[in-house]
Amino acid sequence: MPQALRMPEPELIDHAGLDSVVYLRIYLLGLKIFFPIACIAFTVMVPVNWTNSTLDQLKNLTFSDIDKLSISNIPTGSSRFWVHLCMAYFITFWTCFVLQREYKNVGSMRLQFLASEQRRPDQFTVLVRNIPPDPDESVSELVEHFFKVNHPDYYLSYQAVYNANKLSELVQKRKKLQNWLDYYQNKHSRNPSKRPVIKIGFLGCWGEEVDAIDHYVEKIEGLTRKITAEKETVISSTKSLVPAAFVSFKRRWGAVVCSQTQQSRNPTEWLTEWAPEPRDIYWDNLALPYVQLTIRRLVIAVAFFFLTFFFMIPIAFVQTLANIEGIEKAVPFLKPLIEVKTVKSFIQGFLPGIALKIFLIVLPSILMLMSKFEGFISKSALERRCASRYYMFQFINVFLCSIIAGTALQQLNSFLNQSATEIPKTIGVSIPMKATFFITYIMVDGWAGVAGEILRLKPLIIYHLKNFFLVKTEKDREEAMDPGTIGFNTGEPQIQLYFILGLVYAAVSPILLPFILVFFGLAYVVYRHQIINVYNQEYESAGAFWPDVHRRVVIALIVSQLLLMGLLSTKRAARSTPLLFILPVLTIGFHKFCKGRYQPVFVRYPLQDAMVKDTLERTREPNLNLKPFLQNAYAHPVFKAADNLANEMVVEEPEPNRTPDLVATKRGSKRLLYSGSAETLT
């Protein structure tokens, strides 16, 4: 741990990438926001809240000594609420100040990283989608023709996009068969006197016995022939071509201009965007028709709405079967077993929560499948969308439901024994008292989660299970030992939940803040170590997710302001409500300012920086030819025959100044639209 903390940030960027460093800055952001707030809250807020006896005078209310540190302990209509109002203003301005500074710093880090990083294919490449059909030319011919005409000085080459999903399935199937062949060959090498045999029936349990090695050699040879035929079919058939292409340019400047401008009179055709780096591409979604994406995202939006707001219905149904009577009614033949004391205790103590726990475990996988269905073409975009969904689910079902449902159940006796006009007052007093529950949540989920990250007990168990049941070769063992990535799609939404808790309870019940500070401090130390020594980097987006982080912290700040406004209204502090109403307006204005000032850095690439980088590169390598470097960079992985071409550079003589050549086309009369006058053609 100390060695990991001593590594300077530039070295960490070289080692793990900018994405990892920006991810760690989320924890630092929490420390920067909450440490000064906690100091002022415990200096000012806690004495103001503690030196009252309001809770002791309420007979029907359930509370603890910790609740006396909250705003609930201040009597209705007290002038002390002005302290909480001033604290709300301090929290807002300090949070906005830190957010603005971090947004600026991360944006500068991104530009510096893009300017200093080595030559990569995505710097010169643009993804073109929704290419219009043409009766005279294929997609490949149309792409080359269009860009030679409209980008004659900088266009270099293109890579057609094929629907190779079937070919990918065949390649994966062959990989599995090859793995089995390696296993049986290794087994035979250890005992040459005995040839391994298998049964070719269902699951290898029955059927005719055959020689295992000969069987898999024969199947692999047949599958190899199918792969070769399918590859030729995909490449030669125009039906396999997708109306999209990766277009590469001779200069970064040309790629920047193409990716950030409208290419056609029809704004829905020839759509261009920055190409993700090759390892970031999710190839399965490139074959999806562009016109389907809007429909797919609408369907997923509706599905996510029902998943978020009605997920408790199937869980409650399963939990009804988890009680003794429900199980005995559903499966009466198990009644003698269920009536055993040990089994009955287990069912009553653990089974009701298992359904919910299983659902929460598989929830990230469900959300990732939904994101893939939406058609995002890069792994980074998939993880960002999945994180957005997971954050919304956590906010509604963990934060809001815990406050509303928990408070209602906790104070049920109080609700039943008072008049209807007193219920809003009881809710206003009870909401701050949920801080005790969230303290426990932070300790169990946050602190214990960080400790579990150090131990990595779950990956260790999974590895041994894979090693026992699935590992057949050394390659399998290496894959089973792969630690994976840091998991942005689940980790970042979990961090954002602590931002919500800290900002909401900072002015209401400050006792929560030390627990949040401990979490952010421990998590920063642990995850810095894990990023350096454990996790792999799957892709590099240069911190493109920071606008999402900024927006969610702003949302948490607005939620805290609205909840404090509602809470003070139940405390008859009406004079402070208009002053609190100003805060959400100021916060939204601050967000609009940051979005206009800093977000373009994460969406566009400055022409000035592209020209500077091109000029430096051409000065150092005046005869540089990028075509071999980019030729197969965006070829589908199943088509790549030689990976060593990815880093190969060929030097060529500079081209002399000459007039642009006419572009050949099959269109006949349409040539006049591109080449000039009819006299020139003749």
Side-chain angles (χ1 to χ4, degrees), residues 406-456:
T407 301
L409 293 175
Q410 186 179 4
Q411 307 300 337
L412 183 60
N413 181 60
S414 179
F415 288 163
L416 296 177
N417 293 281
Q418 64 184 207
S419 62
T421 57
E422 294 294 318
I423 292 179
K425 177 181 176 181
T426 304
I427 293 178
V429 173
S430 302
I431 287 179
M433 295 164 58
K434 286 298 293 180
T436 305
F437 165 77
F438 284 118
I439 287 174
T440 307
Y441 180 85
I442 293 170
M443 295 173 67
V444 172
D445 184 75
W447 295 8
V450 173
E453 179 62 35
I454 300 173
L455 293 174
R456 291 188 60 80

Side-chain angles (χ1 to χ4, degrees), residues 382-616:
L382 285 172
E383 290 204 344
R384 289 198 298 270
R385 175 51 66 96
C386 185
S388 177
R389 304 283 195 201
Y390 194 38
Y391 167 76
M392 186 62 65
F393 187 92
Q394 292 260 64
F395 175 72
I396 293 174
N397 289 290
V398 176
F399 178 70
L400 292 182
C401 287
S402 295
I403 287 180
I404 297 172
T407 301
L409 293 175
Q410 186 179 4
Q411 307 300 337
L412 183 60
N413 181 60
S414 179
F415 288 163
L416 296 177
N417 293 281
Q418 64 184 207
S419 62
T421 57
E422 294 294 318
I423 292 179
K425 177 181 176 181
T426 304
I427 293 178
V429 173
S430 302
I431 287 179
M433 295 164 58
K434 286 298 293 180
T436 305
F437 165 77
F438 284 118
I439 287 174
T440 307
Y441 180 85
I442 293 170
M443 295 173 67
V444 172
D445 184 75
W447 295 8
V450 173
E453 179 62 35
I454 300 173
L455 293 174
R456 291 188 60 80
L457 187 61
K458 178 182 174 182
L460 181 65
I461 295 174
I462 292 176
Y463 163 72
H464 282 290
L465 291 175
K466 288 182 177 179
N467 191 39
F468 185 78
F469 292 105
L470 302 178
V471 170
K472 298 178 290 294
T473 63
E474 287 300 321
K475 187 176 181 181
D476 287 342
R477 183 169 286 105
E478 291 178 3
E479 293 178 355
M481 293 180 66
D482 183 16
T485 62
I486 198 169
F488 173 82
N489 58 317
T490 56
E492 193 268 345
Q494 198 70 19
I495 302 172
Q496 291 294 340
L497 181 62
Y498 297 113
F499 277 101
I500 294 177
L501 295 177
L503 292 172
V504 166
Y505 281 96
V508 172
S509 184
I511 191 64
L512 202 75
L513 295 178
F515 297 89
I516 291 179
L517 286 173
V518 170
F519 164 76
F520 278 120
L522 287 176
Y524 173 76
V525 173
V526 169
Y527 279 99
R528 203 175 205 273
H529 172 272
Q530 303 297 84
I531 284 173
I532 294 173
N533 299 307
V534 178
Y535 289 119
N536 297 324
Q537 184 187 15
E538 188 176 12
Y539 58 83
E540 178 60 68
S541 67
F545 56 83
W546 189 261
D548 296 333
V549 175
H550 175 89
R551 184 178 63 254
R552 287 167 195 153
V553 177
V554 169
I555 291 173
L557 185 59
I558 295 175
V559 168
S560 69
Q561 295 161 354
L562 295 177
L563 289 181
L564 181 62
M565 192 185 308
L567 179 60
L568 291 182
S569 65
T570 64
K571 292 283 193 175
R572 297 178 185 175
R575 288 181 296 177
S576 62
T577 302
L579 296 176
L580 280 176
F581 184 76
I582 300 174
L583 291 180
V585 177
L586 293 176
T587 305
I588 294 173
F590 164 77
H591 175 63
K592 293 289 185 182
F593 164 76
C594 289
K595 185 176 181 181
R597 174 62 180 84
Y598 302 111
Q599 187 169 334
V601 173
F602 296 86
V603 180
R604 304 183 185 95
Y605 189 66
L607 285 173
Q608 181 183 15
D609 290 359
M611 181 60 73
V612 169
K613 198 167 179 64
D614 284 335
T615 303
L616 291 174

Side-chain angles (χ1 to χ4, degrees), residues 9 13 18 21-22 25 102-116 542 601:
E9 194 170 78
I13 293 176
L18 184 61
V21 173
V22 173
R25 289 186 76 93
E102 282 297 305
Y103 215 152
K104 180 180 179 180
N105 291 340
V106 174
S108 299
M109 291 170 61
R110 174 180 168 87
L111 290 177
Q112 184 178 358
F113 176 79
L114 293 175
S116 61
V601 173

Side-chain angles (χ1 to χ4, degrees), residues 50-63:
W50 179 262
T51 56
N52 286 278
S53 58
T54 303
L55 293 177
D56 294 328
Q57 299 172 5
L58 297 176
K59 299 180 180 179
N60 296 327
L61 200 65
T62 304
F63 67 92

